Amino acid sequence: MRKYLLSLILVGFTLSSFAQFKQTTNWTFDASEKEVKVGDEIELIFNVSVIKDWYIYSSNQKEDVMAIPATAELNADPSFEVIGKLYGVNPKHKFDQIWGDTVEYFGAKGEFRQKIKVLSNNLKISGTLDFQTCTDVTGQCVPGEQDFVIDFIKVTGGEKEPTETPTQAAPQNLLSQGPGVRTVTSWKLSKEGTAEVGSEIDLVFNVTVDANWYIYSSDLAPDASPIPATVVFEETDGFEVIGGLIPTNPKKKFDNFFNEEVTYFSGKGEFKQRIKILKPDFQIKGELDFQTCSDVEGLCINGSEDFDVALSALEDGAKKITTTAGVATGTNSKSSQSSFEDLLKPEDDGSLWGFFITAFLFGLAALLTPCVFPMIPMTVAFFTNSSQSRAQAITKASIYGISIIVIYILIGLLFTSLFGVGIANELATGAIPNIIFFAVFVIFALSFFGLFEIVLPSGLVNKMDKKANKGGMFGTFFMAFTLVLVSFSCTGPIVGTILIESFQGQVTKPVVGMMGFSIAFAIPFTLFAIFPGMLKSLPKSGGWLNSVKVVLGFIELALGFKFLSVADQAYHWGLLDREIYIAIWLVIAVLLGFYLLGKLRLPHDDEVQKTSVPRLVLAIISFVFAVYLLPGMFGAPLKGLSGYLPPLTTHDFALREMIREEIGAAQISGSATETGFPSKIKYSDILHLPHGIKGFFDYEQALAYAKKVKKPLFIDFTGHGCVNCRKMEEYVWSDPEVLKRLKENYVVVALYVDDKTELPESEWYTSEFDNKVKKTIGKQNFDFQITRFNGNAQPYYVLLDNNEAPLVRPKAYDVEVSNFVEFLDKGLAEFTKR
């Protein structure tokens, strides 16, 4: 029985939360020639900018590396022929910690090229770029996608005989097979000339190339296949660049790699760049890009060297240039405009601080349980008696408290790392996970009521206890570990509650929750060790400790029904309609009130001779809460609980409709009635909008209507189990100013990301994000939110024009009405401009 219960608890623990996705790339498109003839071969150019601390993988990777290379899929058209594959122009190389192997990548900027042959005057080029961006900051990688249309190339009459193309026209960009980055060059930077304001000097780049390798010069022919050496400076007011990078006496030869004449350096080489001095001293920042090859090894490597040197430092001689590689993460999505980078940045809802405080209060509550409270004076007395001085006792107690915090944070880290975004959503809304969570909370409650105790195996506890007896810092840590294990029967349900609740937040939420809980849990042991005299003020252990457990049991039981309600709404079972849910909470509140007054006794409870003031106050609070719930049985909105109760649309009492109609009339009168509104709205039999808003639940249907009436589209990414979504609807959407704008100025579409209604097989599709088949309304909406708008948390509000382009930056949870009104007004103003 214990193993079974422990398994259920661990399942309840294993949750992580949603993260907001970022737009990490911005693409522009070009071509090597803008005016061509039929028969010409040209290169399509794809330039990418990557935001700070992010990088994108290039098109050429080793076969055994799991990183997704960049690829270009051109839509088939008889007007052109694809030649070869997409290749990256001068990418960098590094040992990637994520994949544990050498990879080819671009940092801040990158360039990809694809060669084609023009076959017709009616040239039509379009397609999709697929790629992957990653970060070493969080260790995450997500694939991205970018559609493109190239319609600016002019094809003139007359055919031109195509030139012979060598079989190895594109750079090979091969990587070494050994560990780490293959480096075959070393660089130094110096200057020639007197650095005076107004004078011109030469920056000299000297390169040493390994034996059997050579580097291509900077003066290659414009149509040469190898990559020439180039230098790009960061903009500055300290100097002006004059001309290009000039090689000093390069060699010439016929290159076997590219079957053409090239200029190059072997052994040593020199390049000069002339600049004009505009200030006395300044930083010289930039990047050298080049390509090296070896006829012996049959390899070519693209190289890049960053430099950042003060001009005054060059007075002392040449300075070695060292490579710097920028790394980090992100996702991308389809977009009709490259401006998505700024518009689709997520907004922080600030929920972590609130969750931290909640977890801290849970930690304080855990201290008042029978498993923990008696341990405080015992543990402090042990430190005081076993230490040679008060300072040593304080040190041990501090280590003890820090160890408790570390242990619980490790628990949070463990469960944060177990699941990804898609699984977290499934755990949050799936029937089986939510039923399991409901069962776990009921088990927690029954344990607190005294039906049984949840304990860990005695062997594990005894093993930790033996290690604790070794003394020293190591022993003190295991003393803390022993406390965590021994107190599990009381703290386990509380810790489980925090971890289960955390799946509705961000990735770091379990860690934040465990930090808040453990800090509150560890404070008394350290505080009383520093001030042992305060122990006298602690109340004596007694029956009141068991009462704390029972009160927590009532709270656990009430919280458990939230999970059952989520599954009920997502699958439309109709088991926990609003009035049934409220009735359950009302009964629990009344029973809790009677228990606090001593009218209800449970196992292990002492008989209450007198009602203490704290019990009386808590009983009053419980009964007041019950009275507050009572009007909800008849349709009252109960805004204070809007995020935790089923929506009003699930209420069965007829009085509810009358109340809602009156509220709607009071909130907004004389709103324009929509003409030509579809008589049949998809999914309206199972999904509903609040406050009498007429809208849609299918994106395509809503978009078509928005185009018809020439109004912007308001997308509400929401969920049945989304607490903050209900709060926004009750606190913000209900405001007359907001409601007026939603009804009159926008076409509203609510996309439920957790609805489990299965669609006809003809509507199924395989996601390009995770390669999984999307069969339900919720899975398709959630995939749409991720792949199109780079977001995966709810609520998430997006304003689009009739061309599906964003009007303003999407908005997340924000209960400030004025901010939401401003959001809607800005979107409407931008729509009017377009």
Side-chain angles (χ1 to χ4, degrees):
M1 181 65 178
R2 286 181 179 177
K3 291 182 179 179
Y4 176 72
L5 292 175
L6 183 58
S7 298
L8 283 177
I9 292 167
L10 291 177
V11 170
F13 285 175
T14 53
L15 292 165
S16 63
S17 53
F18 296 152
Q20 296 282 350
F21 287 172
K22 293 183 178 180
Q23 181 81 9
T24 60
T25 59
N26 183 26
W27 293 84
T28 58
F29 311 105
D30 202 351
S32 57
E33 295 183 45
K34 304 292 179 58
E35 187 171 332
V36 299
K37 294 181 179 180
V38 174
D40 282 356
E41 292 182 359
I42 62 172
E43 286 188 319
L44 307 178
I45 303 172
F46 307 96
N47 292 301
V48 60
S49 297
V50 188
I51 66 173
K52 184 181 179 182
D53 291 335
W54 296 62
Y55 62 93
I56 182 173
Y57 291 111
S58 186
S59 54
N60 186 61
Q61 306 292 342
K62 292 162 59 177
E63 291 184 1
D64 55 344
V65 174
M66 295 178 66
I68 300 175
T71 58
E73 183 178 347
L74 276 71
N75 297 325
D77 192 272
S79 64
F80 68 90
E81 174 188 350
V82 177
I83 299 176
K85 296 181 179 180
L86 184 76
Y87 69 91
V89 179
N90 201 18
K92 302 177 183 180
H93 303 88
K94 73 183 183 85
F95 185 81
D96 196 310
Q97 299 295 334
I98 295 175
W99 306 114
D101 211 329
T102 303
V103 297
E104 186 176 283
Y105 75 103
F106 291 102
K109 293 184 180 297
E111 180 180 312
F112 298 90
R113 295 197 173 206
Q114 173 65 63
K115 182 171 285 190
I116 65 168
K117 181 178 180 180
V118 180
L119 303 179
S120 168
N121 285 314
N122 187 23
L123 186 60
K124 296 180 180 179
I125 303 173
S126 63
T128 303
L129 289 164
D130 293 299
F131 52 91
Q132 187 176 42
T133 50
C134 288
T135 182
D136 290 344
V137 176
T138 61
Q140 294 178 328
C141 290
V142 182
E145 186 177 276
Q146 177 68 53
D147 291 341
F148 63 87
V149 175
I150 297 178
D151 54 6
F152 48 78
I153 300 175
K154 182 180 179 181
V155 183
T156 59
E159 295 193 3
K160 174 183 174 182
E161 188 69 19
T163 57
E164 185 71 17
T165 304
T167 57
Q168 292 180 320
Q172 300 306 296
N173 302 335
L174 299 178
L175 303 177
S176 69
Q177 301 302 309
V181 179
R182 183 69 177 270
T183 302
V184 298
T185 60
S186 62
W187 291 81
K188 288 185 177 181
L189 173 60
S190 59
K191 70 173 183 66
E192 289 181 355
T194 303
E196 296 178 352
V197 175
S199 66
E200 294 182 0
I201 65 171
D202 286 327
L203 299 177
V204 183
F205 298 89
N206 292 100
V207 59
T208 301
V209 189
D210 287 358
N212 300 321
W213 287 81
Y214 56 92
I215 181 173
Y216 292 106
S217 183
S218 58
D219 60 345
L220 297 175
D223 59 347
S225 299
I227 298 174
T230 58
V231 60
V232 179
F233 294 94
E234 288 189 13
E235 292 186 4
T236 176
D237 59 355
F239 67 94
E240 176 186 349
V241 177
I242 300 176
L245 189 66
I246 306 299
T248 303
N249 299 323
K251 303 176 184 178
K252 289 186 178 181
K253 72 167 185 172
F254 185 84
D255 192 285
N256 293 321
F257 277 101
F258 299 103
N259 295 318
E260 59 188 83
E261 193 81 8
V262 299
T263 54
Y264 72 102
F265 291 101
S266 61
K268 294 183 180 296
E270 182 180 282
F271 301 88
K272 294 184 179 181
Q273 176 65 63
R274 178 151 294 192
I275 64 171
K276 182 177 181 179
I277 306 297
L278 303 179
K279 289 175 60 177
D281 195 16
F282 48 82
Q283 290 294 120
I284 303 172
K285 297 182 181 180
E287 181 178 272
L288 277 166
D289 296 318
F290 52 92
Q291 186 176 41
T292 53
C293 292
S294 170
D295 293 331
V296 176
E297 298 191 33
L299 296 176
C300 284
I301 298 177
N302 296 340
S304 178
E305 300 285 347
D306 296 334
F307 54 89
D308 184 355
V309 181
L311 177 65
S312 57
L314 297 181
E315 301 288 349
D316 302 327
K319 298 298 178 184
K320 186 176 181 180
I321 298 175
T322 57
T323 303
T324 58
V327 290
T329 174
T331 70
N332 202 4
S333 66
K334 294 181 179 179
S335 165
S336 59
Q337 294 187 356
S338 61
S339 61
F340 265 29
E341 176 177 341
D342 292 329
L343 291 181
L344 295 184
K345 289 180 181 178
E347 297 181 359
D348 184 13
D349 63 8
S351 62
L352 286 179
W353 276 111
F355 189 68
F356 176 86
I357 294 172
T358 301
F360 185 86
L361 295 176
F362 269 99
L364 295 179
L367 292 170
L368 302 179
T369 57
C371 313
V372 180
F373 189 80
M375 297 288 291
I376 297 175
M378 292 171 55
T379 305
V380 173
F382 172 80
F383 287 137
T384 305
N385 296 331
S386 63
S387 302
Q388 297 178 356
S389 65
R390 184 168 178 267
Q392 188 181 46
I394 293 173
T395 301
K396 286 185 177 181
S398 300
I399 296 173
Y400 187 75
I402 293 172
S403 299
I404 292 173
I405 296 172
V406 169
I407 291 167
Y408 279 109
I409 289 178
L410 289 175
I411 293 173
L413 286 171
L414 172 65
F415 296 116
T416 294
S417 62
L418 288 180
F419 297 107
V421 171
I423 296 179
N425 179 260
E426 181 61 31
L427 289 173
T429 61
I432 294 178
N434 276 281
I435 290 174
I436 291 176
F437 300 154
F438 168 70
V440 169
F441 270 67
V442 171
I443 292 170
F444 288 166
L446 296 177
S447 173
F448 277 150
F449 288 157
L451 184 62
F452 51 79
E453 283 192 2
I454 304 172
V455 295
L456 293 174
S458 58
L460 177 62
V461 178
N462 292 335
K463 182 181 291 188
M464 294 301 104
D465 191 40
K466 288 181 180 178
K467 292 181 179 292
N469 291 330
K470 292 183 177 181
M473 185 180 297
F474 189 74
T476 303
F477 174 82
F478 280 100
M479 279 188 64
F481 209 156
T482 304
L483 172 69
V484 172
L485 298 179
V486 170
S487 62
F488 184 80
S489 61
C490 291
T491 59
I494 299 175
V495 171
T497 301
I498 295 172
L499 289 173
I500 290 176
E501 286 293 326
S502 71
F503 74 79
Q504 293 180 359
Q506 296 134 337
V507 172
T508 56
K509 208 165 186 180
V511 178
V512 171
M514 289 298 93
M515 182 180 294
F517 176 87
S518 60
I519 289 175
F521 196 71
I523 282 176
F525 296 97
T526 306
L527 189 62
F528 286 118
I530 297 174
F531 306 104
M534 294 175 61
L535 287 172
K536 297 178 181 179
S537 62
L538 285 179
K540 295 181 179 180
S541 301
W544 67 274
L545 291 175
N546 190 69
S547 298
V548 172
K549 283 182 61 177
V550 173
V551 171
L552 291 174
F554 279 109
I555 295 174
E556 294 277 354
L557 189 61
L559 291 175
F561 280 96
K562 171 61 181 174
F563 295 98
L564 186 59
S565 174
V566 169
D568 178 68
Q569 293 174 58
Y571 287 90
H572 309 289
W573 293 332
L575 299 176
L576 278 179
D577 289 340
R578 185 180 176 90
E579 68 275 16
I580 296 176
Y581 189 97
I582 292 175
I584 293 172
W585 273 26
L586 195 153
V587 170
I588 291 175
V590 171
L591 290 176
L592 176 57
F594 281 127
Y595 174 80
L596 290 168
L597 293 176
K599 305 302 181 183
L600 177 67
R601 289 178 59 190
L602 293 176
H604 311 300
D605 274 335
D606 295 334
E607 184 177 355
V608 179
Q609 301 293 339
K610 296 180 181 180
T611 302
S612 64
V613 174
R615 276 179 172 267
L616 180 61
V617 171
L618 291 175
I620 292 173
I621 293 173
S622 183
F623 285 125
V624 168
F625 183 66
V627 174
Y628 173 78
L629 290 171
L630 189 59
M633 294 289 296
F634 306 100
L638 301 181
K639 285 189 177 183
L641 298 173
S642 58
Y644 298 94
L645 301 179
L648 275 168
T649 52
T650 66
H651 207 293
D652 287 338
F653 287 175
L655 182 60
R656 179 263 307 178
E657 291 297 335
M658 182 178 67
I659 292 174
R660 289 186 65 230
E661 289 177 4
E662 291 177 355
I663 293 174
Q667 290 169 330
I668 176 170
S669 59
S671 60
T673 57
E674 299 289 357
T675 57
F677 197 83
S679 58
K680 186 176 181 180
I681 306 299
K682 292 183 70 174
Y683 317 129
S684 61
D685 55 330
I686 56 175
L687 301 174
H688 308 279
L689 282 165
H691 312 304
I693 297 174
K694 294 175 67 176
F696 299 85
F697 307 98
D698 176 77
Y699 175 76
E700 297 298 335
Q701 188 181 28
L703 179 63
Y705 182 72
K707 290 181 178 180
K708 178 180 177 181
V709 299
K710 294 181 173 56
K711 287 185 177 182
L713 192 64
F714 175 92
I715 304 178
D716 169 29
F717 286 103
T718 184
H720 296 292
C722 174
V723 173
N724 287 341
C725 299
R726 302 293 84 77
K727 288 182 179 179
M728 287 294 294
E729 291 167 3
E730 293 298 331
Y731 285 98
V732 180
W733 288 29
S734 62
D735 182 85
E737 292 299 316
V738 174
L739 196 57
K740 177 181 176 65
R741 287 163 172 77
L742 290 178
K743 285 188 173 184
E744 297 183 359
N745 301 333
Y746 286 90
V747 173
V748 178
V749 54
L751 300 181
Y752 282 80
V753 302
D754 57 1
D755 193 90
K756 305 302 179 182
T757 303
E758 187 166 308
L759 297 167
E761 190 171 353
S762 60
E763 298 182 28
W764 297 359
Y765 70 88
T766 301
S767 170
E768 297 175 355
F769 173 70
D770 57 10
N771 294 319
K772 294 181 180 179
V773 179
K774 307 301 179 183
K775 302 179 181 179
T776 66
I777 294 175
K779 285 186 179 297
Q780 290 193 2
N781 287 337
F782 189 51
D783 182 68
F784 178 60
Q785 182 186 1
I786 291 175
T787 58
R788 185 66 180 272
F789 301 109
N790 301 319
N792 69 323
Q794 296 79 43
Y796 195 67
Y797 306 110
V798 181
L799 305 182
L800 299 182
D801 63 17
N802 295 156
N803 294 318
E804 302 181 76
L807 295 170
V808 293
R809 180 183 298 177
K811 194 164 191 62
Y813 177 72
D814 183 355
V815 293
E816 184 62 46
V817 173
S818 61
N819 292 343
F820 207 77
V821 170
E822 182 183 9
F823 167 67
L824 296 174
D825 286 345
K826 283 185 177 179
L828 185 62
E830 181 64 27
F831 179 79
T832 304
K833 289 180 184 178
R834 298 182 185 180

